[in-house]
Amino acid sequence: MKMKNIRFSRKQLCIPYALFLFCFVILPLAVIVYYAFTDGSGRFTLANLLSFFSNGNTIGTLCYSLVIAAVVTLVCLLIAYPVAYVLARSGLKRAPVILMLFIMPMWINFTLRLTALKEILTVLEGNLSLHPFLNTVIAMTYDFLPFMILPLYTTLLQLDESLLEAASDLGAGPAAVFFRVTLPLSMPGVISGVTMTFLPAMTNYVILDMIYNSTYIMGSLIGSYFNIYDWNNGSMISLILFGVICIITLITGKGDRNNAENRGAIL
């Protein structure tokens, strides 16, 4: 008895993904939107939105979160790019092993890593509350640095050597080759690393809470509202933060498309 070949259309293959998207993305987002624009009685209101922009605490927390994320992303980029460049372009035989050393801390539990870092900072400084901003940047850089190194290393490793050789043959010096060829071609890795670092750094309140028991960041502010069962204001802040993240993602995506056009021009 021959078994019939079962063929699925593209629409049928999309059904599992559509169900997942509906259950775990659309429905939770709909719940957040509902609570964000209603009061405790379930009536429609814009008071939660007005409260966010009229409350100095929430605006200050948003600004502080953006500053923290921007500084951490910049520090990670300044450290990760030279490291990834050396590992990818120097021809080191042990480059994958060295790269693995940067990734290995990620295999250890997040809480254990932060606890160990906190002990080291305590020994060096004595009182962590004296330098809260600096300690936050150090802790987040330590945690997010691998997310910046990996995409940069992958992109730099795939650069076409013929383009670099052609630039040198045309008289470009090492600096010109780097800024006119290498850096533009590596921008996809830069954008990917910035996205993977900036967005979680803006909402990761666990690091602040563990380093010096602070909750002055967006993720913690949202959690504080939900802890006191104020789901309406907590949902509104979550929705606003979601909008900020979407805007940042659109900006980075547009930058990626522009860099793709520039890469096409170079090629």
Side-chain angles (χ1 to χ4, degrees):
M1 183 177 179
K2 295 183 179 180
M3 296 182 63
K4 294 182 178 180
N5 293 330
I6 301 175
R7 296 183 179 181
F8 296 96
S9 64
R10 292 184 179 181
K11 292 182 178 180
Q12 291 174 326
L13 292 174
C14 291
I15 291 176
Y17 176 73
L19 290 175
F20 177 87
L21 191 67
F22 179 77
C23 294
F24 297 102
V25 178
I26 297 177
L27 279 181
L29 185 60
V31 172
I32 292 175
V33 172
Y34 169 77
Y35 279 105
F37 290 100
T38 56
D39 56 16
S41 302
R43 292 175 296 184
F44 175 81
T45 180
L46 295 176
N48 302 323
L49 180 64
L50 297 176
S51 175
F52 177 88
F53 290 103
S54 61
N55 190 334
N57 182 44
T58 55
I59 297 297
T61 302
L62 177 60
C63 294
Y64 185 79
S65 301
L66 290 172
V67 171
I68 283 286
V71 173
V72 169
T73 302
L74 180 61
V75 173
C76 285
L77 181 60
L78 293 177
I79 297 174
Y81 199 100
V83 171
Y85 184 85
V86 171
L87 293 178
R89 311 305 302 169
S90 62
L92 293 174
K93 294 182 179 180
R94 301 290 184 179
V97 177
I98 299 174
L99 180 66
M100 185 63 65
L101 294 178
F102 285 97
I103 302 174
M104 282 181 63
M106 304 299 295
W107 299 352
I108 304 173
N109 182 271
F110 174 77
T111 305
L112 294 178
R113 286 189 285 116
L114 278 183
T115 302
L117 180 62
K118 182 178 180 180
E119 293 299 323
I120 295 174
L121 293 176
T122 302
V123 172
L124 295 177
E125 301 178 13
N127 187 357
L128 297 182
S129 61
L130 295 178
H131 307 92
F133 186 86
L134 176 62
N135 292 332
T136 300
V137 172
I138 293 174
M140 286 194 175
T141 300
Y142 167 71
D143 189 54
F144 296 126
L145 187 60
F147 296 104
M148 184 70 77
I149 292 178
L150 281 176
L152 286 172
Y153 173 79
T154 303
T155 303
L156 291 169
L157 193 64
Q158 296 174 350
L159 288 184
D160 190 350
E161 289 285 350
S162 62
L163 295 176
L164 306 180
E165 294 175 359
S168 299
D169 293 340
L170 291 173
V177 171
F178 176 79
F179 287 106
R180 299 292 297 273
V181 180
T182 303
L183 185 59
L185 291 177
S186 65
M187 286 308 295
V190 173
I191 293 174
S192 179
V194 167
T195 303
M196 294 174 64
T197 303
F198 185 87
L199 298 182
M202 191 169 61
T203 58
N204 192 326
Y205 67 93
V206 178
I207 293 178
L208 277 79
D209 189 44
M210 291 189 64
I211 293 298
Y212 63 101
N213 298 323
S214 172
T215 57
Y216 198 59
I217 202 167
M218 288 302 293
S220 180
L221 181 63
I222 294 170
S224 66
Y225 277 105
F226 280 99
N227 287 335
I228 60 174
Y229 298 99
D230 188 354
W231 290 21
N232 304 101
N233 281 298
S235 297
M236 176 55 70
I237 297 175
S238 301
L239 194 62
I240 293 174
L241 184 59
F242 175 74
V244 172
I245 292 175
C246 287
I247 292 172
I248 295 173
T249 304
L250 289 174
I251 293 173
T252 55
K254 183 178 180 180
D256 197 12
R257 288 192 296 272
N258 292 336
N259 283 305
E261 295 176 358
N262 293 334
R263 290 196 304 273
I266 292 176
L267 296 174

